[in-house]
């Protein structure tokens, strides 16, 4: 980053910034859970935490040397989640664990232990509710895949929805923890056979049943869908644009190639040319997956409070997903706010340990904030051999991107809310945030792609200086003269008017 003042006065160092802890970050802290603790049927209910802050962000944290199955490893993970300034930690609740036999729901299992450990760190659990495998569906454990309950009916019952057993469990569990959860996701990535063994219609009946049970137990809980696999969004959007004529073929191909640029670089999805796009759009598996995505989106009205999507691509294409979700739901006659409970960066070890990863973390978090997402869940962990860049080394030590992540968290906290976009590239990106107390635009986030850009920024009325902090956390103070400052912007920076 190069910063220059238009005046002769040289910048002076600002005092060190104290990193705050009040900013809501939702951290995914678990996948499918299994195993039981020593029994005790109705454990004492924990004390509810305060309501969630206004600017939620999120993270999935997996540390290689701290396995979740080990109590000390889990404790270390939760402590690091809190140290990062997070307000929530995402964990999974497996039905078969909390109710190992019909009618024998327990609150002394590993599910409950993890809820208590999260709350003991001053955070709130962000729940992903999984069926898994057990007596309720007759299947044996099969990785992370859930199957519909055996009593899932095709006929809606006004008392218990489509499944009496599922409705009863969900209502009992949420009632027991009334006031403890802000978000509950129903299953995980149901457009993937790795996680869902049923049909789209079965999932829609399941989530409608869950919505009824949760709202009766705790109306304040925000129910969200499972989120869809990041790698499918570009193809599904392209398919829709071409079939409907919503965009030209040239625009569609430009979008698709931009969407898969990072995945192609990392060898995950080999889409590098327009011919590649056409090839994959013609594959029956892709067509079936996109049919499942569009079917679910068309029928979520009345069953979710927010739409959930997963995202591992470049920040510059995130808006395509958000806009397409708006388009498809409006076509179905409804709208919902959006969030992501799984977002991260693809990249190898060299990338994960380097400065570019840190820059990308800054850009992605700010872009997500500019889309007004209710929660942004960052994923840090290399699971199933996927090239997902981690914020931490295997022993939990911090990589540069971890410091940048906390910088964004500590800067925004609950003090600032996204207000407007001043520039969205393709070279200069500028985003304005207002102080939630005064309503004044007192913070900007900015960066440039390619060559650095020299810009003159008009200061808010009454401002006498600006603290400019780069993505590495290095601050400089610039005096405001004639109501403005001039900066040369390259790498990401925060500009805090004072």
């Amino acid at each position: 980053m190069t910063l220059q003042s238009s005046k002769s006065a040289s910048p002076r160092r600002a005092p060190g910034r104290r990193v705050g802890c009040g900013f809501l970050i939702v951290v995914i802290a678990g996948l499918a859970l299994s195993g039981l603790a020593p029994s005790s049927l109705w454990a004492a209910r924990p004390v509810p935490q305060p309501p969630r802050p206004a600017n939620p962000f999120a993270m999935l944290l997996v540390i290689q040397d701290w396995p979740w199955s080990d109590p000390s490893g889990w404790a270390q993970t939760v402590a690091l989640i809190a140290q990062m300034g997070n307000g929530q930690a995402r964990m999974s609740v497996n039905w078969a664990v909390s109710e190992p036999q019909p009618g024998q729901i327990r609150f002394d299992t590993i599910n409950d232990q993890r809820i208590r450990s999260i709350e003991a760190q001053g955070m709130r659990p962000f729940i992903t509710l999984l069926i898994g495998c057990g007596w309720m569906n007759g299947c044996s454990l099969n990785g992370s895949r859930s199957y519909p309950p055996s009593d899932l009916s095709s006929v809606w019952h006004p008392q218990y929805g489509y499944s009496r057993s599922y409705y009863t469990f969900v209502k009992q569990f949420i009632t027991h923890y009334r006031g403890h959860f802000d978000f509950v996701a129903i299953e995980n990535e149901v457009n993937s056979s790795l996680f869902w063994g049923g049909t789209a219609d079965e999932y829609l009946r399941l989530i409608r049943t869950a919505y009824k049970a949760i709202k009766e137990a705790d109306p304040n809980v925000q129910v969200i869908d499972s989120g869809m696999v990041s790698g499918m969004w570009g193809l599904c959007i392209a398919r829709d644009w071409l079939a409907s004529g919503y965009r030209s073929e040239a625009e569609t191909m430009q979008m698709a190639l931009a969407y898969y640029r990072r995945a192609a670089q990392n060898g995950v999805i080999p889409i590098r040319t327009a011919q590649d796009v056409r090839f994959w759009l013609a594959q029956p598996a892709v067509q079936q997956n996109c049919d499942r995505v569009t079917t679910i989106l068309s029928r979520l009205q009345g069953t979710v409070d927010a739409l959930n999507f997963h995202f591992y691509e470049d920040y510059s294409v995130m808006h395509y997903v958000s806009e397409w979700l708006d388009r498809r739901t409006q076509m179905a006659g409804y709208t919902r706010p959006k969030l992501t409970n799984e977002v991260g960066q693809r990249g190898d070890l060299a990338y994960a340990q380097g400065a570019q990863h840190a820059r990308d973390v800054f850009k992605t978090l700010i872009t997500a904030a500019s889309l007004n997402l209710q929660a942004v869940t960052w994923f840090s962990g290399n699971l199933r051999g996927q090239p997902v860049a981690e914020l931490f080394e295997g022993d939990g030590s911090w990589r540069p991107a971890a410091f940048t992540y906390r910088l964004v968290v500590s800067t925004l906290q609950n003090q600032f809310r996204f207000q407007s976009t001043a520039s969205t590239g393709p070279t200069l990106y500028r985003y304005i945030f207002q102080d939630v107390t005064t309503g004044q635009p007192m913070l900007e986030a900015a960066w440039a792609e390619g060559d650095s850009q020299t810009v003159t920024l008009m200061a808010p009325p009454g401002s006498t200086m600006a603290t400019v902090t780069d993505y590495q956390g290095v601050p400089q103070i610039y005096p405001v003269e004639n109501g403005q400052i001039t900066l040369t912007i390259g790498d990401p920076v925060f500009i805090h008017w004072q």
Side-chain angles (χ1 to χ4, degrees):
M1 175 194 73
T2 303
L3 297 174
Q4 298 175 343
S5 172
S6 60
K7 302 299 178 182
S8 59
S10 23
R12 65 182 186 275
R13 287 287 228 192
R17 178 187 293 272
R18 181 179 63 84
V19 176
C21 298
F23 186 58
L24 169 61
I25 304 288
V26 181
V27 181
I28 305 179
L31 297 175
L33 306 180
S34 61
L36 294 174
S39 65
S40 151
L41 187 57
W42 286 87
R45 199 175 299 179
V47 178
Q49 301 294 311
R52 64 182 180 274
N55 289 317
F57 280 82
M59 176 189 294
L60 172 80
L61 183 57
V62 182
I63 303 297
Q64 180 178 328
D65 295 345
W66 301 348
W68 293 336
S69 57
D70 180 79
S72 63
W74 173 257
Q76 286 178 290
T77 300
V78 173
L80 182 55
I81 291 169
Q83 185 182 354
M84 292 291 288
N86 301 316
Q88 296 195 31
R90 178 183 160 182
M91 57 165 286
S92 295
V93 168
N94 190 302
W95 178 9
V97 171
S98 284
E99 191 177 1
Q101 297 296 327
Q104 296 181 10
I105 187 168
R106 300 169 57 167
F107 295 97
D108 61 344
T109 72
I110 192 170
N111 293 337
D112 308 281
Q113 292 172 9
R114 291 181 173 178
I115 289 171
R116 288 193 293 270
S117 68
I118 290 168
E119 293 185 334
Q121 290 287 343
M123 299 181 292
R124 290 171 66 82
F126 189 122
I127 299 299
T128 297
L129 192 59
L130 303 174
I131 297 175
C133 284
W135 62 265
M136 65 286 300
N137 47 28
C139 71
S140 57
L141 186 63
N142 187 1
S144 299
R145 187 181 300 169
S146 288
Y147 290 87
S150 300
D151 67 347
L152 187 68
S153 171
S154 59
V155 179
W156 175 262
H157 193 285
Q159 181 179 347
Y160 52 79
Y162 289 106
S163 168
R164 183 192 292 269
S165 63
Y166 185 67
Y167 167 86
T168 301
F169 166 70
V170 174
K171 186 171 182 179
Q172 284 186 321
F173 191 87
I174 300 300
T175 297
H176 182 77
Y177 285 106
R178 181 183 175 95
H180 290 258
F181 310 144
D182 298 318
F183 298 100
V184 173
I186 307 303
E187 297 296 329
N188 178 61
E189 292 186 349
V190 296
N191 67 321
S192 169
S193 60
L194 289 174
F195 299 106
W196 178 243
T199 65
D201 184 70
E202 286 172 326
Y203 177 71
L204 287 161
R205 282 181 272 151
L206 185 83
I207 194 171
R208 186 178 176 192
T209 302
Y211 189 85
K212 172 180 171 61
I214 291 170
K215 290 301 182 179
E216 289 176 359
D218 188 346
N220 292 323
V221 170
Q222 300 291 293
V223 180
I224 64 174
D225 64 283
S226 71
M228 304 296 179
V229 178
S230 176
M232 288 305 303
W233 290 117
L235 287 170
C236 293
I237 295 170
R239 180 181 186 237
D240 176 40
W241 284 10
L242 291 173
S244 65
Y246 184 70
R247 291 285 187 269
S248 69
E249 182 173 4
E251 291 172 316
T252 300
M253 295 303 165
Q254 182 182 27
M255 177 279 298
L257 295 178
Y259 190 88
Y260 291 108
R261 179 180 63 82
R262 188 181 293 272
Q265 288 174 345
N266 288 278
V268 178
I269 303 174
I271 295 180
R272 298 178 176 86
T273 67
Q275 184 177 354
D276 292 336
V277 177
R278 296 187 189 97
F279 171 82
W280 286 104
L281 286 175
Q283 300 307 302
V286 171
Q287 295 174 10
Q288 293 167 10
N289 203 304
C290 291
D291 284 342
R292 173 173 288 207
V293 170
T294 53
T295 295
I296 290 174
L297 287 175
S298 69
R299 294 169 55 188
L300 282 178
Q301 184 174 12
T303 63
V304 295
D305 299 300
L307 296 169
N308 181 21
F309 68 91
H310 295 176
F311 187 83
Y312 288 95
E313 319 312 326
D314 191 78
Y315 78 92
S316 63
V317 297
M318 184 185 286
H319 70 97
Y320 287 126
V321 180
S322 178
E323 292 163 1
W324 191 71
L325 287 172
D326 287 340
R327 164 175 157 77
R328 295 304 304 189
T329 53
Q330 288 167 9
M331 289 172 61
Y334 73 102
T335 60
R336 290 292 183 277
K338 296 175 292 295
L339 57 79
T340 171
N341 75 346
E342 192 170 320
V343 61
Q345 294 292 338
R346 305 186 193 274
D348 58 16
L349 180 60
Y351 169 82
Q353 294 177 328
Q356 187 58 49
H357 184 203
R359 290 189 284 264
D360 288 342
V361 166
F362 187 107
K363 297 172 185 178
T364 301
L365 291 175
I366 295 300
T367 300
S370 75
L371 295 173
N372 288 312
L373 302 186
Q374 287 194 337
V376 181
T377 307
W378 196 270
F379 174 73
S380 175
N382 200 337
L383 297 182
R384 299 185 302 278
Q386 296 296 315
V388 176
E390 299 161 285
L391 300 180
F392 303 93
E393 299 290 349
D395 61 359
S397 57
W398 294 33
R399 292 173 175 168
F403 291 98
T404 298
Y405 177 85
R406 191 172 68 171
L407 170 69
V408 176
V409 172
S410 63
T411 299
L412 294 181
Q413 291 187 355
N414 302 308
Q415 184 179 353
F416 298 104
R417 181 181 295 115
F418 174 72
Q419 176 177 293
S420 61
T421 300
S423 178
T424 57
T427 303
L428 181 66
Y429 293 79
R430 285 180 57 207
Y431 299 95
I432 314 301
F433 294 81
Q434 66 180 18
D435 187 296
V436 296
T437 302
T438 66
Q440 295 300 309
M442 301 302 291
L443 182 73
E444 294 192 28
W447 63 87
E449 297 291 354
D451 295 335
S452 297
Q453 300 291 304
T454 299
V455 295
T456 297
L457 306 178
M458 303 305 297
S463 296
T464 60
M465 63 181 179
T467 300
V468 181
T469 306
D470 70 10
Y471 74 98
Q472 297 173 309
V474 178
Q476 294 178 325
I477 292 179
Y478 289 82
V480 171
E481 297 190 23
N482 299 321
Q484 63 187 34
I485 63 172
T486 297
L487 303 175
T488 299
I489 296 174
D491 290 339
V493 295
F494 278 121
I495 303 145
H496 188 188
W497 302 100
Q498 296 158 308

